[in-house]
Amino acid sequence: MKTKIVLNSEEALLEPSAIMGNEEGIYFTFMSDLGVIANVLPEPLEVASPLVSGYIVEIKNASFGERYMEAMLGVYVKLNGKVGMYPVTFLLSGPGAEMATYLGREKTGLSKKICENEDDISIKRDGDVLRGMVKRKGALLLDVSIKLGEYNNPAVGDIYNNPTAGKKTGGTSFYFHTVLEPDENGKAIYKKVNLISNEAEYAYHKWEPGKVSVRLYSSENDAWGEFPVFENMGGAYSVNDLEMKDLYIVGNPDPKKVIPKLMSTRFDKVALLKGER
Amino acid sequence: MKINTTAKIGNLEIKNRLIMTAMGVGLGNHEGEATEDFIAFYARRAKGGCGLIITEITRVCEGHGIGEYDQLSLSTDDNIPSFTKLAEEIHKYGSKIFVQLHHPGRETYTQLTGTEELVSASAIPSVAAPQPTRSLTIEEIHELVEQFGDAALRAKKANVDGVEIHGAHGYLIQQFLSANDNKRTDEYGGSAENRRRFLLEIIENIKEKCGEYYPISVRLSSSEFLDNVGITSGITVEETIETAKAVENAGVSLLNISAGTYATGFTIVEPTSYEQGWKIPFATEIRNNVNIPVAATGVIREAGFANKLIEEDKVDFVALGRPWLCDPDFGNKALSGNDDDIRKCMSCVYCFDTAGESLVTGGAHAKCAVNPEMGNETVYTKLQKNGNGKKAVVVGAGPGGLEAAIILAERNYDVTIFEKNDYLGGQLYLASLPPHKQKMRYFIVYAAKKLKDYGVDLRLNTTVSAEEIRALNPYVTIIATGSEPIRPSKIPGINNDNVYTPVEILKGEVTLANQRVIVVGSGLTGMETAIALQTAGNEVSIVEMQDVCGSGGGQTVIMDERGTLAKLGVCTMPGHRLLEIRSDAVIVADNADIEVEIPCDSVVISLGVKSVNSYEDLLNDLSNVFVIGDAKCAGRRIGDAVHEAYKIAYRI
Ligand SMILES: Cc1cc2nc3c(=O)[nH]c(=O)nc-3n(C[C@H](O)[C@H](O)[C@H](O)COP(=O)(O)O)c2cc1C
């Protein structure tokens, strides 16, 4: 089927729903360092916990594209007394990665980058053991295993709101939507940042707790090793549907202060200023 | 002007400048009465020369106001009689006593409060121990204000000399004061003035109920030091100056300046790495802005240092916590200039850790690593001086051996102590070697003086044989030979040239630089070795078999060490056990038995210690042979060895 360049105004609307249907993979949480976490937070977010949570999942039925693999590291923050999650960095691979990245960055304000090979993000299962790996540009960034059974530390159940098959849980997340525009000298600069608040709902089909072992590394372009792992708290193998609800602007922080905390998770070194200019 | 001069808090005269700060030691009962043990503990400090004693956190209401299982309570008139007895005992020594009134807010546990949720200024759970938390309603705030006032009135009725409002350390009042925790939009939140309202209303209520002249102290954190962990909205010294002025205006008669909040707990009860007096300049800055007396804590350990603070007009009162646990006679010794005789606190935080162990369950009390009598004032009532010159042999001069030698000598035994090294202190000495750990040597210096005072026969550099011990015909023999590093023999490559022990690194016998080093094991020694190696320019990874990186010390110490590891960028891998060492890598297996290769140049094995005890079997023909400390059961803390030593030396 051929398509045309010019769409009519109805066709030119973005798909309004954001449902990551049938997402399957490894979820993990570890204890890190409050100072390191606080340091990566753009204002006005404030650190709420020394924990870092992440996942490696395959998103099979996205409402906006083909299937893709996605890995994320996120931290717990507070904004005006409300506790939520701030996803610090995402990496994606597979056929749906491109659309999920464009939409994620442009519409929602997520710090997303793409890995060049589909199997740069992988999950392998062997009996009751799953191993997830994330590589980008040849460098290993995340290597996490999970042995199903019990959490490393039972306290982590509360962090996840104790999911079970059939249960729904919700939560708030915060993102930074950036507006890049040329200035009067014709140079593109970030003129505005929208701080976005978003409610999401997880509907669980499976949640099988397990003991995790988390290994994080940094490369030239992706500083995933920045978070020290002081305690493996636990995680799960899960199958769920994730629905992101509407987005609300809850602040306009100063781009000068916020942007330095976002650039390395959205662009590689080659795209950033090199030397004197 | 020195610490031995009198000074006033309101109209109340204090006989000297020494204050014992509030410390929850777990000697109360579940009802919150001042028990016999409790009274004996405080009275011992009064006898030891303390000018003003401030009790531990004392709750003003039940339910969400409970902060410890065995804490004191003034939420009911029923407890007035026991507090009256407490005050009476303290007054016998010319000392004064304040009760510290407290509400934990979100910094407690639902197991203790029996409520579904904890309360705070806002619905933000604790960073340190998150539990479901809700914000207080206006009606509840008003009720709490009354309850603080009622509790103060009960203290007054019990002849307690004054009260201290606990507005520090991240508890409820500070949760209101701090913009980081208080996100309310009503008259108790928002501006600094609004955030102070709760505290000021409490002061007003106490004054209404107890009268204009009943002394009130307010304990405040000069700074939350949250910027140390990257948070910018915490309380700063500038803000506390304004709070200090406001409480002065409200009629408070003493400011007791501390620091920190739960997320920066290491600035409240500092581990050994903090310098003596580090917090004092902040208190002095606050003092420069008010006209009421200011007391301050800040790792004050030496009498000379305390004297200088008064002489140089830095503070009005020297507030000390742990030094009073370590040596109840701190006051008398300090006042008479006997600095060398003071058993000084090493800030090893054993007291805080042991207090924490029974915080939720009760049934045990805080212990001081080097003062086994602390909290046991009704148990160890009189050291019998009946050794009559009988021979006592102690093998090993680690902390346990030293304590045994001191107590036996004090009991008039004729003591000989053998030590194979050329230094005293054993592992305690090694613990004092890393940067900023020199305070750990306080006990060694103290013990050396005591051994000299008592004329103990000290034989350094001596590996004594069983025959030599037998030849001395000892009445009592203490085997305190400690432990040695574990080197698991079954690990392939364990004897490679690139494998070292922490002792070799910490004592500087081996110097590594510009290398990739794997430290296997994340006990305190492992973490400190990693810190030393990374600081020396190596790229260090810690591999730890357990899921938690950091063990062998209390939470405060571990948090402190972890913070340093994070700042230095040391890689940490909990949940990985060592399988093999190669010349250029180690092989580890994770929790799922997945093997991972980590490239490296050198490996330091810090897998703890095993007992060394070659004497017990050889001396089984002798009576009164005791094995103590690590020689008995390896890998324990200084306090375990010292307490075991004391118990045996006290009872034999
Ligand atoms: C076991 C223990 C319990 C404590 N409990 C309290 C308390 O109930 N209220 C309080 O204000 N401070 C408490 N603190 C803090 C001390 O009062 C003091 O500020 C701190 O130990 C630092 O001073 P230092 O170095 O002189 O010990 C406690 C400290 C310890 C070690």
Side-chain angles (χ1 to χ4, degrees), chain A residues 141-161:
Chain A
L141 301 170
L142 167 63
D143 178 6
V144 56
S145 77
I146 178 162
K147 188 173 168 59
L148 302 181
E150 288 173 349
Y151 296 125
N152 311 60
N153 181 337
V156 82
D158 284 342
I159 304 291
Y160 286 115
N161 292 321

Side-chain angles (χ1 to χ4, degrees), chain B residues 492-493 496 498-499 580-587 597 600-601 603:
Chain B
N496 288 359
N498 63 344
V499 181
E580 186 185 340
I581 301 171
R582 297 181 186 159
S583 59
D584 58 354
V586 297
I587 311 296
E597 181 177 326
C600 69
D601 304 304
V603 179

Side-chain angles (χ1 to χ4, degrees), chain B residues 124-326:
Chain B
I124 301 172
S126 164
V127 168
Q131 307 250 292
T133 303
R134 66 175 175 84
S135 60
L136 285 162
T137 64
I138 298 260
E139 292 70 40
E140 286 174 319
I141 293 172
H142 292 166
E143 191 186 354
L144 268 172
V145 167
E146 294 293 336
Q147 285 167 330
F148 268 94
D150 294 342
L153 182 58
R154 292 184 188 110
K156 189 179 180 201
K157 284 182 181 164
N159 290 329
V160 169
D161 302 289
V163 289
E164 173 164 280
I165 303 170
H166 198 345
H169 301 171
Y171 293 111
L172 184 63
I173 293 172
Q174 191 168 322
Q175 289 158 33
F176 272 85
L177 290 174
S178 172
N180 182 50
D181 299 322
N182 183 344
K183 310 290 181 187
R184 299 180 77 95
T185 50
D186 58 16
E187 67 265 37
Y188 291 98
S191 67
E193 196 187 334
N194 281 356
R195 284 182 271 121
R196 253 173 237 140
R197 192 177 308 280
F198 180 47
L199 171 59
L200 294 177
E201 286 180 359
I202 290 171
I203 296 167
E204 192 186 336
N205 198 281
I206 294 175
K207 287 199 141 326
E208 256 169 49
K209 286 174 181 157
C210 300
E212 189 55 31
Y213 301 107
Y214 191 58
I216 301 175
S217 161
V218 174
R219 196 162 205 203
L220 292 175
S221 288
S222 57
S223 165
E224 291 188 306
F225 291 109
L226 281 170
D227 45 346
N228 284 7
V229 292
I231 301 170
T232 51
S233 58
I235 295 172
T236 58
V237 178
E238 290 69 39
E239 197 175 327
T240 303
I241 289 172
E242 297 310 312
T243 306
K245 288 183 195 163
V247 302
E248 177 183 22
N249 280 340
V252 156
S253 17
L254 176 72
L255 279 170
N256 186 1
I257 302 300
S258 181
T261 181
Y262 259 56
T264 52
F266 36 82
T267 64
I268 304 175
V269 182
E270 300 93 332
T272 198
S273 56
Y274 283 76
E275 294 297 319
Q276 178 160 233
W278 77 278
K279 284 191 290 210
I280 299 297
F282 311 112
T284 305
E285 206 179 327
I286 293 165
R287 182 170 177 260
N288 291 341
N289 285 276
V290 293
N291 294 307
I292 48 174
V294 170
T297 43
V299 197
I300 299 156
R301 298 292 179 260
E302 293 162 13
F305 190 88
N307 252 324
K308 250 173 80 177
L309 291 179
I310 302 295
E311 267 172 1
E312 293 176 2
D313 204 26
K314 302 273 196 266
V315 293
D316 299 283
F317 290 93
V318 181
L320 310 108
R322 292 166 285 175
W324 292 105
L325 305 182
C326 219

Side-chain angles (χ1 to χ4, degrees), chain A residues 38 46 145 152 215 229-230 232, chain B residues 183 233 547 549 572 576 590:
Chain A
E46 295 173 327
S145 77
N152 311 60
R215 294 174 284 274
V229 181
F230 286 135
N232 292 305
Chain B
K183 310 290 181 187
S233 58
D547 268 320
C549 180
T572 46
H576 292 81
D590 73 7

Side-chain angles (χ1 to χ4, degrees), chain B residues 19-26 42 54-58 68 71 100 102 164-169 171 219 256-259 267-270 278-279 296-301 319-325 345 347 349-356 366-367 374:
Chain B
I19 290 180
M20 172 170 157
T21 58
M23 281 175 290
V25 289
Y42 282 120
I54 302 174
T55 70
E56 65 175 28
I57 52 164
T58 302
E68 280 174 20
Q71 78 178 126
Q100 187 183 56
H102 167 264
E164 173 164 280
I165 303 170
H166 198 345
H169 301 171
Y171 293 111
R219 196 162 205 203
N256 186 1
I257 302 300
S258 181
T267 64
I268 304 175
V269 182
E270 300 93 332
W278 77 278
K279 284 191 290 210
T297 43
V299 197
I300 299 156
R301 298 292 179 260
L320 310 108
R322 292 166 285 175
W324 292 105
L325 305 182
C345 168
S347 302
V349 214
Y350 188 69
C351 52
F352 199 62
D353 297 338
T354 46
K367 299 185 186 91
M374 184 248 134

